Structure formats: structure tokens, C-alpha cells
Amino acid sequence: MDLHFGDSKPTDEEKAAVDALLGPPESSWEGAARDEMTAADLRWARGGRAARERRDLLLPGLHAINDRIGWISDGALDYLCRRLTVPPAEAYGVATFYAMFSVQPRPATVLHVCTDLACAAAGAADLCAGIESRLGLGSGVSVERSPCLGLCERAPAALAIKAGDPVRTAVSAPATVEAAVLAASAPDSAEEEPPAVMAVPQAGGPGLTLLSRIGVVDATSLDDYRAHGGYSALRRAFEIGPAGVIREVTDSGLVGRGGAAFPTGRKWRATAEQPDRPHYLVCNADESEPGTFKDRVIMEGDPFALVESMTIAAYATGAHQGYLYLRGEYPRALRRLEHAIAQARARGLLGDDVLGQGYAFDIEIRRGAGAYICGEETALFNSIEGYRGEPRSKPPFPVEKGLFGKPTVENNVETLVNVLPILTTGAPAYAAIGTGRSTGPKLFCVSGSVDRPGVYELPFGATLGDLLALAGVRDRLRAVLLGGAAGGFVRPDELDIPLTFEGTREAGTTLGSGVVMAFDDTVPLPRLLLRIAEFFRDESCGQCVPCRVGTVRQEEALHRIVERTGAAAAGDIALLREVGRAMRDASICGLGQTAWNAVESAIDRLGAYE
Amino acid sequence: MTVIPLGVPRRLLEFTLDGEPVRAPEGSTILDACRAAGKDVPTLCEGDTLAPKNACRVCVVEVEGARTLVPACSRKAEPGMEVKTDTERARHSRKIVLELLASSVDLSTTPRVAGWIKEYEAKPDRFGPGAARLNEEPRVDNELYVRDYDKCILCYKCVDACGDQWQNTFAISVVGRGFDARIAVEHDAPLTDSACVYCGNCVEVCPTGALSFKSEFDMRAAGTWDESAQTETTTVCAYCGVGCNLTLHVQDNEIVKVTSPHDNPVTHGNLCIKGRFGYQHVQNRD
Ligand SMILES: Cc1cc2nc3c(=O)[nH]c(=O)nc-3n(C[C@H](O)[C@H](O)[C@H](O)COP(=O)(O)O)c2cc1C
Ligand code: SF4
Ligand code: SF4
Ligand code: SF4
Ligand code: FES
Ligand code: FES
């Protein structure tokens, strides 16, 4: 590889931001000033393979610059590339992939205002307009319309990020113009976020498993976590050994909660059996599906539970290194998890000798930077590795060739924390919860036109109506979106659908990751559909033609028919169907394959344009 | 001593292609088997010298038991597979992909695509006059080759050829995301400010003419480009001792471009700047 760098120079601050992450450069070969070149530099070419093997630090490096300066200049990018021996063209391709980065100068503060489904229904458009009229040009704040921020229970939501050392963030939700403007202009003095437990309307109620500790345990105290039953599952895991853990998980019937509903035990066994080493564990905490916020609530309210369950999953599958890929828009979850991991490490629950059992495991957090597609498992690997977050084609599957080309188990946050009750109560007791084919408890993210939005835990099998009754569904319900933007709408007369994987499938819809968004008849359906189409067009990685162009053509057709019905819309609906069919059949990944689901269901089940 | 390259013997695997039993060497793609069986599956992003990115999705076929269609160009054939290449479902996706592409970029210099558009009855116009298009001006920033991204289908071939599959220069990359994704050098600078070493290997693999030799670009603009009047002569490059084969494309007694045979074991179609572009001295008679 012969790298070429332009002559753009980093500023001292940009250099400091990168060096704070990577340490000072050892020689002029990897970014030290050329005029400080020493005799040793002339004899040795440092960098090379060692530096190239740190390519996975590209994304953290981009974050370091963006966090400190607010955007990524040519000089800063080139400097980071020198330090890591990454070709600048590739790094530029990575930097421009993520919504949270900018390669153009912009103000130090960015205020992300959510305009997605729940927030749109809660008046995000007016909020945006109000904020923009207060924070015009020259305010030092760049206002950006954002997809779902994962705060739907408190819609409308805004997130302010102020670059500096250290970077400062503030959340305003439910946001008013005043509160959002304050968060952006003085993040340190903005009102504090309500505790995670506020997102759990059932808190304190009986029968909770996954949510039982939220609001009860001190999320910053390892001792308190242990006092509430923490780390008993890991002890049991060490007692029964890796094969025993996999047997329990298999017998429990646990299937993945990230949307694809794949049997977890099977995935773990397949990975554990791979002869190739090392094995990796990845926790998918990207949670960017519009309407989903359950993983956030777990990470903020019970972070040690995730650390413990990742340790168990790694132990069972033979991994010694775990990555927690956290969406970039979750500053509080990041702080809580960083703290929890450090505590666990300090107390011998992570590190070379976990619990004195001679088993080594550690967790590294990697932050996403605003790309829904990075929740797709193989796109996530690429993102961690420092490449564009584009999905890989399968086969080969991650259990065989995953992160860094090695056997990898990737699980959702909720999936992982289910392993704790499986081990503490035993597989039969766990499997007795729910239905025969959907076992255990399930988290649902309820938002929209309900009185008590939030995360609900119910055993599989409760009906949609049960759940909505708990959440206090309002009158004049018009539609319910199940499974998020990649899911489907159902009608108010379909509330007896059982909330199980098989029940929703039989009803011709999907549970997805457990999103339930209720919309009353004040919400203009065509606008909602347009927003969904816009989301997928924005979030397509652009790799394959059916999705890259298909999402654009679908959005155009929906624009044309936004005010039309019946015969006037028929031609465009036929077009939508034809394009949608090819997207479902021929796209590389789940994004393109499901992008048309919600709109199609609105046409077929709700009669959206009749 | 002449070394005769002998392929490693490979086991044959059996599967069915459109109902007929076929045998293919282990490791073959479905597309390899289709071609061996004389079936014409359209392809755009596949290239004979590169591992395909399977991004265009025009080669999709139906595999029994698979939830979605699969790209023939990169899915390996497996024993017992039942593959159908010409079902209504596969034809529908191909038609839509052709419509989506032809409505967003200029395919006028893409070989064979006009025939497929006709065969699959694709109607790119039906998305209406307002359908988003790239509409970019060609970038002419050096004397050797031109980038006309209005013709780019984002097949990733140039990126792979410049990157780890051949050239290892990594001068270009896909940047941006979704419909805004583009091929660009770092900071979207002119080519002359980039790492490009002008080997032209990206031009060699580009399937659409989005990358073209300046000579060809100028002649097309002047209306004098005429492939039917060109002769091709393959010779050995005289610059160094590597022994690359050069194919000289000559029109009206002038070399109009230089390529290299893709099946040549030395070049696999790749050249360096001298072999590719250093031909003016041959015809400079002053
Ligand atoms: C476009 C797309 C986005 C996804 N986003 C997420 C996500 O944010 N979180 C998640 O856990 N899984 C997400 N998934 C599913 C993952 O690819 C994968 O199936 C899951 O993480 C596996 O874990 P599980 O078996 O525990 O569910 C997404 C899939 C696709 C296609
Ligand atoms: S389906 Fe969409 S998101 Fe997935 S690979 Fe293709 S372009 Fe990218
Ligand atoms: S001419 Fe060669 S070096 Fe330049 S972009 Fe093309 S492949 Fe890369
Ligand atoms: S420029 Fe040519 S080779 Fe490169 S991606 Fe576009 S069409 Fe493919
Ligand atoms: S935070 Fe706005 S829709 Fe989820
Ligand atoms: S030729 Fe197979 S996907 Fe493009």
C-alpha cells in the first residue's frame, strides 16, 4: 500500500484530540512533525502493519475529532489516517457515511430534533419551527432534523451535543422550544433527565423479570446490583460450564429479541463449535429502529445486568473479547455502561481472571455515529472494523466469519439479559412463561396516542389489546404500528392479535423488536407513511440498486399521492407494489427487504388511499 | 523452462439448473454454471477479473428454499441446490432493477443494457419526469481519463480495482450514503490532488463508461468515436521487462486507447501508467 497524503495540516487542537485517543505519535512515519524527524526515524519505517492493525480505531478517532471540534476537517482526517495508516479516500468514505459527523465546517453545537413517528405525532414540526426561529444563523447552534432518538416515551425529543473537551450533551424530552434552546446553549445547566425508571410505567408492580431491578437498584453501584441478585447467574454458569449454559439457553427456547427471532441457543452452539480462533461476542445496542427504546432503558437502569450477561454469553461461546456497539445518540447509556464496566473490571468481574475462575473476558464499548443500518449484524462488524457500515452478503454467516473474519456471536441487549433469569430459575421454569413457541417475558416499547407510554414487560401471549389497555390507549384509535418502521400497521379491530412471534405471523404481521406505536385519527396517515419512506431512503446504505434507488422512487410516488385517493392514486400504488416486491426479493439486507412493509400494510390493512 | 499452469483438480458437485441436472467444479458460482450451460443471465457489476460486490442485483435467480432471490454472480453453487434462472419472480426483479438504474443514470454507453431493457420490457420512463437523477457534469481534471459519474451505477469495481483487489493504491472510495453515495477521492478533491497513479485499471473495469479515456471522451464529444472502424492489436509493452500484454485500439491509424487482455496471466487486464497511457511517442511524427 503506498499512501498519499495531501498537504492539509491538523490544528493543534485536532492533533490533541487524536493523540488523546492514540497516544503521541512515536515517529514521523506515523504523524509526528517532519521537522522533528530523528536519526532513528530515518533508519526505521514505523507504522506499517502494527498501525494498520489498529484500523478499528478509525471510528473512535473520527468521534474524537468530531467530539472536540464539532466537525472533521481535511487536516484532521489526514492526520488520523497517518496515525493509523488508513488511506484518506477510505477514511473520507467512512466519515461521510455517518449522520453525526460532518466534513464541512459547522457550529460547535448541534441540536438534533427528532421528527420521527412518535415525535411527529407529538408536534415535532412546530417544535422544530419554533427552535429554528429562536436559533437562527449566528446562534452557534446547528439545528438538525433527526430520525428517532430512542426517547419516544417522552416525545417530542431533542438532543444537544456541544463539541469541546470534554464534549457536553443534554437531552430535552418532552421538549419545549425554551428547554431545547437552553439544552443547546447551556448543556451543563439544562434540566436533568428523568431517571430511567420513569420509562417503566409498571415499575414496582409484581411479576417483572427483566425490568425488576429498574428503579430499585442503584445503577451506579456494583454492590447494590449484587445485593439484588446480581452475579448469581454468572456463578451458576461457572458451575455448569460452557456446554451447560448452552444447553440451558437452548432448552429455554429463547429466540433473539433484535427483530429476526433466531434461536439463541443454536447460534451460541454453532459459534462455540467453530475451530477457528479467537471467537468474539458482540452486543448489538444500536437500537435505531424508530419507536424502540427498551435497550436504552435497560442500559441506563440496570447496566450491570448487561455486563453480567455478556460475560456469560462470552464464556459459553468461548470468546475472550466482547464489543458493545452502542448507538451514538445515547450519552447517558454510554456513561452508565462505561462506569459499570470499569467497576466490574476493578472488582475482578471482568479482566484476566473473572471471579477467580481462570477465565479471561473484557468488554470494549464502540459508539455508532448515526446510521440505522449499522444495527444490521454484518454492517455492525464493518463499522467496528473501520469500514463503511455496509452489510456483507451472507453466506458466510457471522458464526463462521464475523467480526475481523472470526466466529462471532451477536446478540441484542434484551436477548442477553434474558439469559440471567434462564440461569437463575432454570430452563424449564423460564420456558413455562409465554407460549410453546415464544417463551419467556418480552419487552414492548409503547408510544404514540397512549396515556402511559413506556417500556412494558409481559409474558409472550398477551394480546395487543391487553398491552394497549395497560398503556391507557386513547379514544379514536386509528392504527397501530407493530414492529417499528420495518414492521406493519394493524387496525383498531385487530387488537386480539396475540403478541407472540407465531401469532403475529399468522395475522400477517410481525413483532419485530417489540415496537407498538398507537396513532389516533388526528394523525394524518399519508404524512406518516411519507415519513417512513423518507426514513428508509435516508438510511439506505446505498450499496444495492433495489434499495438505493427503490426507496427514492417509492418516496416520490408517496409524495405524488399524499393528497390523493382511489383511482387518482391507483397508478402510483401499483408502482409502489412493483418496486416494493423487487426490493423485498432482491435487496442485499433486511433494510431494503423490509422497507416497504409498513406502507404496504397501511394500504392493504388500513385502506390508506381508498 | 515454460511452466504450464495446471489447475488443481476440483471435485464436481451436482445440482439442478432450470430442472436439468448439471455438474460444476467445487467453488463455482451459480453464474459460472449458467454460463457453462449456455444460459444468458444479465450482469452489470460482475467482472471477470474481480470478486463481485453483488451490488446491482440484475443477475438474481431463484433458489429453492431461499426466502429471497440470490445473486448468481457471487452465490456459490452447492450440491443439491435447485436453481431457476428465468422465473417470473426473477424476471420481475431484473426488470425493476433495470428501470431503477436507467431512470437514475445514463446507460447510453453501457454495453448490452439496451438489449436487456427490451428483453425484460423495462420502462424507465414510468417513474415520471420528476424522478431524481444524478445529473452531474463530467469531471475533466486531467489529461488521461474522465470521470462522468452521471453514468455511474456504483458497482464498486473501480474501488476494488484501485484497492485491495489489484492496484493497492486506494485512491478512490464510495463516499456518502444511500442515493447520495458517490465515487470520490479524499475530500472530494480533483483527481490530480489525490493518491491516483493513473494506472487506468479502474477505467479498464468500469462497465458503464463512467470512467473513460480522455481520448475516447473527446472523440465521443466530437462524434468521431467509431468502434466498428477500430482494429485491435495485442503486443508486448516495451517499457520494462515485466512483459505486459497491451492491446492497442487503433482508429484511422491513431492509437485511441490501450487495454490489456483480461485472461493474460501477467496483467489480468491491469497495466501501469506507462503501458496504459504512454503511447503518444509511437505516433508522434514531428
Ligand atoms: C436494517 C437492520 C437494522 C437492525 N437494527 C438492529 C438493532 O438496532 N438492534 C438489534 O439488536 N438488532 C438489529 N437488527 C437485527 C440484527 O441484524 C441481528 O439480527 C440481531 O442483532 C441479532 O441478535 P438477536 O439474535 O439477539 O436478536 C437489525 C437488522 C437490520 C436488517
Ligand atoms: S438493502 Fe439497502 S441497506 Fe441493505 S445493503 Fe442494500 S442498499 Fe444497503
Ligand atoms: S487510475 Fe489507478 S490509481 Fe488512479 S483511481 Fe484508477 S485504479 Fe486507482
Ligand atoms: S465509476 Fe464505473 S466502475 Fe466505478 S462504480 Fe461507477 S460504474 Fe462502477
Ligand atoms: S424519539 Fe422521536 S420518534 Fe422516537
Ligand atoms: S452482476 Fe450479480 S449482482 Fe450485479
Side-chain angles (χ1 to χ4, degrees), chain A residues 256-258 267 284 286-288 375-377 410-412 415 590:
Chain A
R257 306 291 201 241
K267 193 190 283 188
N284 188 342
D286 196 48
E287 189 166 66
S288 309
E376 197 280 339
E377 50 188 353
E410 176 172 329
N411 277 126
N412 170 258
T415 314

Side-chain angles (χ1 to χ4, degrees), chain A residues 97-455:
Chain A
F97 187 82
Y98 296 100
M100 292 176 83
F101 298 148
S102 171
V103 293
Q104 306 296 331
R106 67 174 171 187
T109 304
V110 178
L111 181 65
H112 299 271
V113 186
C114 176
T115 53
D116 223 318
L117 304 177
C119 293
D126 289 347
L127 177 69
C128 262
I131 291 171
E132 271 166 351
S133 74
R134 289 274 299 275
L135 291 171
L137 283 176
S139 67
V141 177
S142 155
V143 179
E144 291 183 8
R145 281 152 209 266
S146 160
C148 178
L149 290 168
L151 297 162
C152 325
E153 88 278 12
R154 286 183 269 148
L159 165 69
I161 302 178
K162 184 176 185 189
D165 183 22
V167 61
R168 288 176 169 77
T169 60
V171 160
S172 173
T176 57
V177 173
E178 284 68 37
V181 167
L182 178 67
S185 42
D188 287 340
S189 45
E191 206 181 319
E192 219 187 301
E193 273 192 80
V197 68
M198 297 304 283
V200 183
Q202 292 165 311
L208 295 183
T209 304
L210 304 175
L211 300 176
S212 63
R213 268 186 299 257
I214 292 180
V216 174
V217 76
D218 176 355
T220 61
S221 163
L222 179 54
D223 289 325
D224 203 34
Y225 177 67
R226 295 180 101 153
H228 286 90
Y231 280 101
S232 53
L234 181 61
R235 282 181 203 286
R236 171 104 203 286
F238 282 129
E239 276 162 34
I240 60 180
V245 175
I246 292 179
R247 199 178 327 112
E248 290 279 314
V249 171
T250 307
D251 292 348
S252 75
L254 175 66
V255 301
R257 306 291 201 241
F262 189 84
T264 306
R266 211 153 90 209
K267 193 190 283 188
W268 287 18
R269 170 158 303 135
T271 310
E273 283 171 352
Q274 293 291 324
D276 194 10
R277 303 271 148 177
H279 293 182
Y280 289 108
L281 170 77
V282 173
C283 171
N284 188 342
D286 196 48
E287 189 166 66
S288 309
E289 179 75 40
T292 322
F293 45 94
K294 61 191 174 76
D295 297 347
R296 186 198 92 232
V297 171
I298 294 174
M299 292 186 287
E300 290 180 348
D302 197 7
F304 289 101
L306 182 58
V307 175
E308 182 185 357
S309 45
M310 283 181 71
T311 312
I312 296 169
Y315 173 66
T317 55
H320 296 287
Q321 176 69 38
Y323 288 89
L324 199 161
Y325 189 88
L326 179 66
R327 77 173 295 197
E329 295 88 340
Y330 279 178
R332 184 159 70 173
L334 175 68
R335 284 196 302 275
R336 291 273 158 89
L337 283 162
E338 277 175 339
H339 177 79
I341 290 170
Q343 287 252 301
R345 204 177 282 140
R347 301 274 289 275
L349 293 163
L350 286 176
D352 291 338
D353 186 15
V354 175
L355 264 179
Q357 297 284 325
Y359 165 68
F361 177 64
D362 215 326
I363 299 174
E364 217 179 289
I365 299 180
R366 289 302 171 93
R367 257 191 309 157
Y372 166 66
I373 188 59
C374 289
E376 197 280 339
E377 50 188 353
T378 59
L380 193 156
F381 301 148
N382 278 333
S383 178
I384 292 182
E385 290 178 24
Y387 294 91
R388 291 165 55 80
E390 295 171 350
R392 304 174 182 169
S393 29
K394 295 186 269 190
F397 290 92
V399 296
E400 206 185 315
K401 284 196 186 341
L403 186 62
F404 302 115
K406 297 295 177 183
T408 303
V409 130
E410 176 172 329
N411 277 126
N412 170 258
V413 172
E414 184 191 344
T415 314
L416 287 166
V417 296
N418 267 283
V419 173
L420 304 177
I422 290 172
L423 288 186
T424 51
T425 65
Y430 180 92
I433 308 170
T435 65
R437 279 186 293 161
S438 297
T439 59
K442 174 77 192 103
L443 299 182
F444 296 96
C445 309
V446 187
S447 58
S449 314
V450 293
D451 290 332
R452 293 175 294 280
V455 184

Side-chain angles (χ1 to χ4, degrees), chain A residues 488-576:
Chain A
F489 285 98
V490 298
R491 287 188 307 272
D493 62 358
E494 296 181 294
L495 299 188
D496 55 351
I497 295 180
L499 295 173
T500 57
F501 292 114
E502 63 278 11
T504 45
R505 200 178 310 124
E506 270 160 35
T509 179
T510 173
L511 210 52
S513 55
V515 172
V516 175
M517 279 181 147
F519 299 100
D520 63 22
D521 60 7
T522 61
V523 181
L525 201 52
R527 297 259 155 224
L528 210 62
L529 303 185
L530 204 47
R531 171 63 220 180
I532 293 174
E534 182 187 83
F535 173 79
F536 283 107
R537 184 258 296 150
D538 255 359
E539 298 295 334
S540 166
C541 82
Q543 193 180 195
C544 65
V545 176
C547 174
R548 179 179 75 234
V549 191
T551 50
V552 172
R553 295 291 175 257
Q554 287 204 321
E555 190 186 342
E556 288 165 352
L558 287 168
H559 266 291
R560 284 195 292 269
I561 58 175
V562 91
E563 309 279 335
R564 282 192 232 158
T565 52
D572 276 314
I573 288 179
L575 196 94
L576 281 164

